[in-house]
Amino acid sequence: MESENNEYFIAKWKSQYKKGLLEYIIILLLRSRPCYGYELISDMNQFTSLEIAEGTIYPLLNRLKKEGLVTSEWAEQESGIPRKYYKLTEDGLTILSTMNEYVGSLNVSVDKILKKTNSLK
C-alpha cells in the first residue's frame, strides 16, 4: 500500500512541476524563432523528457497570447494547410528575463540545499 501512495505522490508532484515549467519552456523556445504548435511539441520532446500533447499546448499558447506575451499569425504553406505561428512579444522577452533570473536563483538555492543535505549523510 505504501508503494502505491508513493507512486501517487510522485505522479501528482511531477504533474505540478510540469505545469509550472511548460509556460517557461514555451517562452524559451519562442525566443529563438516563431514556431507553430506542433513544432513546439516536437522541440519539447527533443530537448526534454516532458511529454506534451496538443490538447495541452494550445490552451497554454492562448493564455500567453491573452497575457500579451506572444502574438500569432497564420502562414500559408506551399503544400498542406496554413499554420498558425506564435512569436514572442517585447513584453514576452521582458517576462522571460525575469523568469530566467528567478529560475537561476531557484537552481542555485536547490543546489546549495542538495550539497548541504548530501554532506550530512
Side-chain angles (χ1 to χ4, degrees):
M1 185 66 164
E2 186 175 315
S3 176
E4 288 177 17
N5 286 340
N6 290 347
E7 288 175 21
Y8 178 72
F9 175 84
I10 292 297
K12 283 187 352 185
W13 177 78
K14 283 181 178 181
S15 174
Q16 291 300 311
Y17 194 72
K18 180 179 171 182
K19 285 179 187 176
L21 279 177
L22 287 178
E23 289 176 343
Y24 179 59
I25 291 171
I26 289 170
I27 291 171
L28 277 174
L29 290 170
L30 290 175
R31 175 181 58 182
S32 62
R33 71 186 194 291
C35 297
Y36 56 96
Y38 187 76
E39 190 175 22
L40 286 168
I41 291 171
S42 296
D43 286 352
M44 280 189 213
N45 290 337
Q46 178 184 353
F47 296 117
T48 73
S49 62
L50 301 173
E51 300 213 5
I52 184 166
E54 289 181 40
T56 302
I57 197 162
Y58 291 108
L60 283 173
L61 287 166
N62 285 330
R63 189 163 70 242
L64 293 173
K65 189 175 176 183
K66 285 180 188 173
E67 295 288 335
L69 305 180
V70 302
T71 59
S72 66
E73 66 179 44
W74 288 96
E76 294 290 330
Q77 305 299 305
E78 288 184 24
S79 63
I81 61 172
R83 292 183 177 150
K84 191 180 215 179
Y85 281 83
Y86 296 87
K87 180 181 178 185
L88 208 56
T89 64
E90 287 298 318
D91 283 346
L93 286 169
T94 301
I95 291 293
L96 177 59
S97 177
T98 303
M99 292 171 103
N100 283 336
E101 289 175 22
Y102 184 71
V103 168
S105 173
L106 281 177
N107 286 340
V108 167
S109 298
V110 169
D111 284 345
K112 285 179 183 177
I113 292 168
L114 282 171
K115 286 176 185 170
K116 172 100 173 139
T117 57
N118 283 339
S119 69
L120 297 176
K121 288 183 179 181

